[in-house]
Amino acid sequence: MTEEINKCIEVLENGGLILYPTDTVWGIGCDATNAEAVKKVYALKERDDSKALICLVGNDAMLEKHVEKVPELAYDIIDLATKPTTIIYDRPRGVAKNLIAPDNTLAIRVATDKFCQYLIGKFKRPIVSTSANISGRPTPKSFQNIEDAILKGVDYVVNLHREKQNSSSSSIIRLSNDNTVKIIRE
Protein backbone atom coordinates (compact mmCIF):
# COMPACT_ATOMS: atom_id res chain seq x y z
CA MET A 1 0.00 0.00 0.00
CA THR A 2 2.88 2.39 0.77
CA GLU A 3 4.17 2.17 -2.79
CA GLU A 4 0.72 2.94 -4.20
CA ILE A 5 0.34 5.93 -1.87
CA ASN A 6 3.75 7.29 -2.88
CA LYS A 7 2.91 6.97 -6.59
CA CYS A 8 -0.41 8.76 -6.04
CA ILE A 9 1.24 11.58 -4.13
CA GLU A 10 3.78 12.12 -6.90
CA VAL A 11 0.95 12.42 -9.46
CA LEU A 12 -1.19 14.65 -7.19
CA GLU A 13 1.72 17.00 -6.43
CA ASN A 14 2.29 17.44 -10.17
CA GLY A 15 -1.35 18.37 -10.85
CA GLY A 16 -2.27 14.96 -12.26
CA LEU A 17 -5.34 12.76 -11.95
CA ILE A 18 -5.57 9.43 -10.16
CA LEU A 19 -8.15 6.67 -10.39
CA TYR A 20 -8.52 5.15 -6.94
CA PRO A 21 -10.74 2.98 -4.73
CA THR A 22 -12.71 4.96 -2.15
CA ASP A 23 -15.04 4.04 0.69
CA THR A 24 -17.86 4.04 -1.90
CA VAL A 25 -17.13 3.64 -5.64
CA TRP A 26 -13.95 3.98 -7.71
CA GLY A 27 -13.13 7.66 -7.95
CA ILE A 28 -11.28 10.13 -10.10
CA GLY A 29 -9.15 12.27 -7.82
CA CYS A 30 -6.85 15.25 -7.84
CA ASP A 31 -5.42 17.83 -5.46
CA ALA A 32 -8.48 19.75 -4.27
CA THR A 33 -6.36 22.90 -3.86
CA ASN A 34 -5.14 22.92 -7.49
CA ALA A 35 -7.57 24.70 -9.87
CA GLU A 36 -5.84 23.36 -13.00
CA ALA A 37 -6.13 19.79 -11.72
CA VAL A 38 -9.82 20.31 -10.88
CA LYS A 39 -10.34 21.64 -14.42
CA LYS A 40 -8.87 18.38 -15.79
CA VAL A 41 -11.42 16.36 -13.79
CA TYR A 42 -14.33 18.34 -15.25
CA ALA A 43 -12.88 17.89 -18.76
CA LEU A 44 -12.36 14.13 -18.34
CA LYS A 45 -15.89 13.63 -17.02
CA GLU A 46 -17.29 15.99 -19.71
CA ARG A 47 -19.10 17.66 -16.85
CA ASP A 48 -20.34 21.22 -16.56
CA ASP A 49 -18.15 22.96 -13.99
CA SER A 50 -21.23 24.46 -12.32
CA LYS A 51 -21.96 20.94 -10.98
CA ALA A 52 -19.75 20.74 -7.91
CA LEU A 53 -17.51 17.79 -7.08
CA ILE A 54 -17.03 15.97 -3.78
CA CYS A 55 -13.87 16.47 -1.76
CA LEU A 56 -12.39 13.92 0.67
CA VAL A 57 -10.58 14.88 3.87
CA GLY A 58 -8.71 12.52 6.17
CA ASN A 59 -10.09 13.60 9.53
CA ASP A 60 -12.07 16.21 11.49
CA ALA A 61 -9.05 18.52 11.81
CA MET A 62 -8.68 18.73 8.03
CA LEU A 63 -12.43 19.29 7.71
CA GLU A 64 -12.22 22.22 10.14
CA LYS A 65 -9.30 23.69 8.18
CA HIS A 66 -11.37 23.79 4.97
CA VAL A 67 -14.76 24.93 6.26
CA GLU A 68 -15.18 28.34 7.88
CA LYS A 69 -17.54 26.95 10.56
CA VAL A 70 -18.41 23.28 10.92
CA PRO A 71 -21.84 23.03 12.57
CA GLU A 72 -21.81 20.84 15.70
CA LEU A 73 -24.53 18.68 14.15
CA ALA A 74 -22.05 17.61 11.44
CA TYR A 75 -20.00 15.64 13.97
CA ASP A 76 -23.11 13.73 15.11
CA ILE A 77 -24.04 12.94 11.51
CA ILE A 78 -20.50 11.73 10.76
CA ASP A 79 -20.35 9.60 13.94
CA LEU A 80 -23.83 8.10 13.58
CA ALA A 81 -23.94 7.48 9.83
CA THR A 82 -24.23 3.81 8.91
CA LYS A 83 -22.83 4.35 5.41
CA PRO A 84 -20.36 6.86 3.91
CA THR A 85 -21.98 10.28 4.15
CA THR A 86 -21.02 13.43 2.31
CA ILE A 87 -22.06 16.74 3.85
CA ILE A 88 -22.45 19.97 1.91
CA TYR A 89 -21.02 22.82 3.99
CA ASP A 90 -21.37 26.58 3.76
CA ARG A 91 -18.32 28.79 3.19
CA PRO A 92 -15.48 26.42 2.31
CA ARG A 93 -11.93 27.76 2.28
CA GLY A 94 -8.45 26.77 1.19
CA VAL A 95 -9.56 24.77 -1.86
CA ALA A 96 -9.56 25.55 -5.58
CA LYS A 97 -12.19 28.17 -6.45
CA ASN A 98 -13.58 26.00 -9.28
CA LEU A 99 -14.35 23.28 -6.75
CA ILE A 100 -16.75 25.54 -4.84
CA ALA A 101 -20.40 25.59 -5.95
CA PRO A 102 -21.96 28.89 -7.12
CA ASP A 103 -23.82 29.16 -3.77
CA ASN A 104 -20.45 29.08 -1.89
CA THR A 105 -20.80 25.52 -0.64
CA LEU A 106 -18.65 22.42 -0.90
CA ALA A 107 -19.50 18.72 -0.52
CA ILE A 108 -16.97 17.08 1.82
CA ARG A 109 -16.70 13.56 3.17
CA VAL A 110 -14.37 12.41 5.93
CA ALA A 111 -12.86 9.27 4.40
CA THR A 112 -13.42 6.02 6.25
CA ASP A 113 -11.46 3.81 3.83
CA LYS A 114 -7.94 3.03 5.15
CA PHE A 115 -6.24 3.61 1.79
CA CYS A 116 -7.92 7.03 1.42
CA GLN A 117 -7.13 7.99 5.00
CA TYR A 118 -3.44 7.11 4.60
CA LEU A 119 -3.22 8.80 1.20
CA ILE A 120 -4.84 12.02 2.39
CA GLY A 121 -2.90 11.95 5.66
CA LYS A 122 0.42 11.70 3.85
CA PHE A 123 -0.58 14.18 1.11
CA LYS A 124 -1.77 16.63 3.81
CA ARG A 125 -4.41 18.15 1.49
CA PRO A 126 -7.97 17.26 0.53
CA ILE A 127 -8.49 15.18 -2.60
CA VAL A 128 -11.31 15.44 -5.12
CA SER A 129 -13.47 12.33 -5.32
CA THR A 130 -15.94 11.94 -8.15
CA SER A 131 -17.30 8.75 -9.65
CA ALA A 132 -15.19 7.18 -12.41
CA ASN A 133 -17.61 7.76 -15.28
CA ILE A 134 -18.42 10.24 -18.03
CA SER A 135 -21.12 12.62 -16.80
CA GLY A 136 -24.62 11.24 -17.38
CA ARG A 137 -23.48 7.62 -17.73
CA PRO A 138 -23.97 4.97 -15.02
CA THR A 139 -21.56 4.89 -12.09
CA PRO A 140 -19.39 1.76 -12.43
CA LYS A 141 -20.07 -0.79 -9.70
CA SER A 142 -16.63 -2.36 -10.09
CA PHE A 143 -13.19 -1.61 -11.55
CA GLN A 144 -14.00 -3.85 -14.54
CA ASN A 145 -16.92 -1.55 -15.49
CA ILE A 146 -14.80 1.61 -15.81
CA GLU A 147 -14.73 2.91 -19.38
CA ASP A 148 -11.48 3.06 -21.37
CA ALA A 149 -11.82 6.83 -21.77
CA ILE A 150 -11.56 7.21 -17.99
CA LEU A 151 -8.74 4.67 -17.62
CA LYS A 152 -6.72 6.40 -20.34
CA GLY A 153 -7.63 9.91 -19.15
CA VAL A 154 -5.98 9.66 -15.73
CA ASP A 155 -2.27 9.80 -14.96
CA TYR A 156 -2.22 6.88 -12.53
CA VAL A 157 -4.51 3.94 -11.73
CA VAL A 158 -4.16 2.53 -8.22
CA ASN A 159 -3.36 -1.17 -8.23
CA LEU A 160 -5.39 -2.14 -5.14
CA HIS A 161 -8.89 -3.55 -4.51
CA ARG A 162 -9.63 -4.01 -8.21
CA GLU A 163 -11.61 -7.18 -7.49
CA LYS A 164 -13.92 -5.47 -4.99
CA GLN A 165 -17.52 -4.94 -5.98
CA ASN A 166 -18.25 -1.43 -4.81
CA SER A 167 -21.28 -0.72 -2.74
CA SER A 168 -22.98 2.48 -3.76
CA SER A 169 -22.45 6.20 -3.80
CA SER A 170 -22.43 8.08 -0.51
CA SER A 171 -25.45 9.67 1.08
CA ILE A 172 -25.39 13.44 0.58
CA ILE A 173 -26.75 15.83 3.19
CA ARG A 174 -26.92 19.63 2.92
CA LEU A 175 -26.16 21.11 6.34
CA SER A 176 -26.51 24.87 6.58
CA ASN A 177 -24.89 26.94 9.30
CA ASP A 178 -28.36 27.54 10.77
CA ASN A 179 -28.54 23.70 11.26
CA THR A 180 -31.10 23.23 8.47
CA VAL A 181 -30.70 19.67 7.19
CA LYS A 182 -31.75 18.60 3.71
CA ILE A 183 -31.18 15.09 2.36
CA ILE A 184 -29.96 15.32 -1.23
CA ARG A 185 -29.21 11.62 -1.87
CA GLU A 186 -29.93 8.69 0.46
Side-chain angles (χ1 to χ4, degrees), residues 46-156:
E46 299 174 19
R47 184 172 175 159
D48 182 349
D49 66 5
S50 67
K51 292 184 177 179
L53 301 170
I54 291 174
C55 179
L56 292 183
V57 296
N59 52 44
D60 290 351
M62 188 177 283
L63 171 65
E64 291 161 5
K65 181 178 177 187
H66 293 285
V67 175
E68 192 174 289
K69 180 183 182 296
V70 178
E72 284 300 315
L73 183 56
Y75 300 108
D76 292 336
I77 292 170
I78 292 166
D79 290 344
L80 298 172
T82 56
K83 70 180 262 189
T85 301
T86 301
I87 300 176
I88 301 172
Y89 295 94
D90 291 333
R91 297 194 300 276
R93 61 185 180 193
V95 295
K97 296 281 184 250
N98 56 344
L99 192 57
I100 299 171
D103 64 353
N104 198 25
T105 60
L106 179 60
I108 301 175
R109 184 167 73 249
V110 177
T112 55
D113 174 84
K114 289 290 177 227
F115 173 77
C116 291
Q117 286 178 329
Y118 291 145
L119 173 60
I120 296 164
K122 191 163 183 188
F123 186 54
K124 295 184 174 42
R125 280 174 271 180
I127 296 175
V128 165
S129 179
T130 183
S131 57
N133 60 310
I134 304 293
S135 193
R137 297 194 187 149
T139 299
K141 295 292 182 196
S142 69
F143 180 80
Q144 289 70 29
N145 298 126
I146 299 171
E147 293 179 61
D148 278 349
I150 298 294
L151 292 167
K152 291 175 181 161
V154 298
D155 300 292
Y156 186 70

Side-chain angles (χ1 to χ4, degrees), residues 11-56:
V11 170
L12 294 170
E13 286 177 343
N14 289 302
L17 305 185
I18 61 171
L19 182 63
Y20 67 113
T22 73
D23 45 357
T24 57
V25 298
W26 273 81
I28 300 167
C30 72
D31 177 353
T33 67
N34 181 329
E36 287 303 311
V38 171
K39 197 183 295 185
K40 290 178 191 176
V41 173
Y42 282 117
L44 178 58
K45 285 188 64 85
E46 299 174 19
R47 184 172 175 159
D48 182 349
D49 66 5
S50 67
K51 292 184 177 179
L53 301 170
I54 291 174
C55 179
L56 292 183

